[in-house]
Amino acid sequence: AKTSRKKCNLVKSVDLYSDLEFLKDGVEIVDTPGLDDPIIQREEITLQYTLDCDLMIHLMNVNQSATKKDVDFIIDSIVYQNVARLLIVITRIDTVSEAELEEVVAYTKRSIKERLEAQNKSAKLQLILDKIDFIPISAKMALYHKQGKADIAIQHGYNLEKTGLGKIEAYLTKVLFSQESAKASLVI
């Protein structure tokens, strides 16, 4: 991305199709470029998609959580882009202790609160926090389970449930397909 001769600079989007159960009933999953993409146009693509999304999943590395850019993006998505639900997936939890993980979640919430107060929007704090859910995961340990190498993950203290993968699947099912889902409310 840092070299102008690379073909990745010419790619605007790539469409993949699958018959995943989660994609039924018109659900689309869009994996956008990150917020710190060196090519500004790709960051703009991400911002454009927030205008049309009902559920946003924001990945946040546990070791680099809640940057100012992350917090501003979260607030903007909920307050101005009208994202109905925001799931913050805290990744790489196998690299920190449980106490450190709890501090990351608390720090992220505190950063959102402080940013809203700085913007004189503290009245919207509870509205915003009510739309945000946090699920910590270890994709690496979940992958070991899916590849039949569960013994490696278990040696590191991660049974399949502790990886968080099941929590994400349950969350998506509830938010997208249950009677009280945001999608069902939007359709009505």
Side-chain angles (χ1 to χ4, degrees):
K2 294 180 181 177
T3 305
S4 62
R5 295 187 316 265
K6 291 200 176 190
K7 292 180 181 174
C8 69
N9 296 334
L10 303 174
V11 176
K12 291 185 180 183
S13 69
V14 175
D15 292 336
L16 303 173
Y17 298 91
S18 178
D19 59 354
L20 292 172
E21 185 67 21
F22 280 110
L23 300 178
K24 68 180 184 181
D25 298 328
V27 172
E28 293 181 13
I29 297 173
V30 178
D31 181 11
T32 62
L35 296 178
D36 293 324
D37 196 296
I39 298 177
I40 294 171
Q41 291 86 353
R42 289 201 293 242
E43 187 174 316
E44 291 298 321
I45 291 169
T46 299
L47 298 174
Q48 188 63 39
Y49 270 106
T50 63
L51 296 172
D52 297 321
C53 91
D54 303 316
L55 166 66
M56 184 169 64
I57 301 172
H58 183 74
L59 301 180
M60 189 180 293
N61 184 327
V62 73
N63 297 304
Q64 302 169 349
S65 61
T67 65
K68 180 184 179 305
K69 195 163 199 168
D70 282 323
V71 172
D72 287 344
F73 181 71
I74 289 165
I75 291 170
D76 186 60
S77 297
I78 292 176
V79 174
Y80 302 110
Q81 308 301 333
N82 296 317
V83 171
R85 298 290 315 165
L86 172 61
L87 173 61
I88 297 176
V89 176
I90 300 175
T91 63
R92 303 189 57 179
I93 63 168
D94 53 291
T95 64
V96 297
S97 69
E98 289 195 30
E100 290 169 317
L101 174 60
E102 288 176 19
E103 176 54 32
V104 166
V105 173
Y107 174 76
T108 302
K109 289 179 180 179
R110 194 169 51 249
S111 297
I112 292 169
K113 179 181 181 212
E114 289 169 1
R115 194 77 183 118
L116 286 169
E117 287 171 348
Q119 295 176 2
N120 292 322
K121 290 183 174 57
S122 55
K124 295 187 177 198
L125 176 65
Q126 199 55 49
L127 168 77
I128 290 171
L129 290 179
D130 287 346
K131 291 183 174 188
I132 300 175
D133 298 295
F134 292 85
I135 297 179
I137 68 162
S138 172
K140 180 179 180 180
M141 297 302 155
L143 184 60
Y144 283 141
H145 281 279
K146 295 292 183 178
Q147 291 178 327
K149 300 176 184 176
D151 55 320
I152 297 172
I154 291 169
Q155 286 174 358
H156 287 90
Y158 283 85
N159 62 19
L160 187 56
E161 182 180 340
K162 189 175 177 184
T163 68
L165 187 63
K167 290 178 185 174
I168 288 183
E169 291 172 350
Y171 179 88
L172 291 175
T173 299
K174 179 182 176 195
V175 170
L176 295 174
F177 304 114
S178 72
Q179 292 289 37
E180 67 270 2
S181 74
K183 185 175 183 280
S185 299
L186 290 168
V187 169
I188 290 172

